[in-house]
Amino acid sequence: MKLKSIFLCLIFLGLVSCKKGAVEKGKTKIDTSHITVKSYSYNELKPLLEKKNDSIYVINFWATWCAPCVKELPAFEKLNKEYASKNVSVLLVSLDFPKQVEKKLIPFIARKNVRSKVVLLDDINEDVWIKAIDSSWSGAIPATIIYNKESRKFYEKTLDYETLEKELQTFLKQ
């Protein structure tokens, strides 16, 4: 009886593991070989937040684990596509955990077909860089900066495309 129970357990485990293997083989593999995400400390990122040229910069702070951030990403992608020829540059600054870049962030970028530049802010001194980025920032995400050489605005909220475009228009008119 004991031998029969062990035998049945082995067959069951074999079936379960075979089924799992078949499901994994059936999944579509996402090619992430072309995606790289550079990691920055705040001091390394800072020059990207303060450029003084003829471009307009839209910097979005987000994370894959932040549902409102993920919801607004298509708006930034659309803005990037529609305004690239008008000297508008979109930068997505991920606040994901550095150890999860390969397993979560890069596959997310591939799955969502993100075309904007994505970098990782890897700096444990958030008390310093949050206030340095904007003195009114509580640290909540999503958060966005739109700036050019003459002006700068900070938004600590989710932005839809219409709002984002409207705000961008104020910079294009300057």
Side-chain angles (χ1 to χ4, degrees):
M1 183 70 176
K2 215 178 207 184
L3 188 56
K4 188 176 180 181
S5 295
I6 293 172
F7 182 72
L8 287 173
C9 284
L10 288 174
I11 289 175
F12 177 75
L13 288 173
L15 288 172
V16 170
S17 65
C18 287
K19 185 176 181 181
K20 185 177 179 188
V23 171
E24 286 178 358
K25 287 180 186 175
K27 284 184 180 178
T28 305
K29 276 282 191 185
I30 299 170
D31 179 22
T32 59
S33 61
H34 63 286
I35 300 172
T36 58
V37 175
K38 188 172 179 187
S39 183
Y40 288 87
S41 68
Y42 172 68
N43 287 334
E44 294 167 326
L45 181 67
K46 190 176 177 190
L48 301 177
L49 307 176
E50 300 173 343
K51 292 183 178 185
K52 302 284 186 197
N53 56 33
D54 292 331
S55 293
I56 299 169
Y57 296 93
V58 179
I59 316 290
N60 179 251
F61 294 88
W62 70 290
T64 59
W65 45 262
C66 167
C69 300
V70 171
K71 183 180 178 186
E72 75 174 1
L73 273 181
F76 288 92
E77 284 296 282
K78 184 176 181 183
L79 192 83
N80 187 42
K81 184 178 180 184
E82 306 259 328
Y83 287 90
S85 64
K86 294 184 169 96
N87 282 337
V88 174
S89 179
V90 174
L91 177 64
L92 303 174
V93 180
S94 171
L95 300 179
D96 281 279
F97 303 108
K99 291 181 179 180
Q100 295 182 335
V101 169
E102 295 296 323
K103 289 191 176 198
K104 283 198 170 186
L105 180 58
I106 289 175
F108 177 91
I109 292 167
R111 265 192 329 276
K112 299 291 186 180
N113 201 23
V114 174
R115 296 287 177 221
S116 300
K117 183 176 180 180
V118 178
V119 299
L120 177 77
L121 178 54
D122 182 11
D123 194 318
I124 59 171
N125 294 320
E126 58 270 342
D127 290 338
V128 173
W129 59 260
I130 287 172
K131 293 300 176 198
I133 288 171
D134 192 272
S135 61
S136 70
W137 190 12
S138 74
I141 54 174
T144 303
I145 300 168
I146 302 176
Y147 79 94
N148 62 15
K149 64 184 174 185
E150 298 167 7
S151 180
R152 178 185 187 95
K153 281 189 168 181
F154 179 78
Y155 311 84
E156 187 175 9
K157 63 182 181 177
T158 304
L159 298 169
D160 60 22
Y161 182 75
E162 291 74 26
T163 305
L164 192 54
E165 186 177 39
K166 181 181 170 193
E167 292 299 324
L168 178 61
Q169 290 297 326
T170 64
F171 286 84
L172 288 168
K173 292 175 183 173
Q174 292 179 357

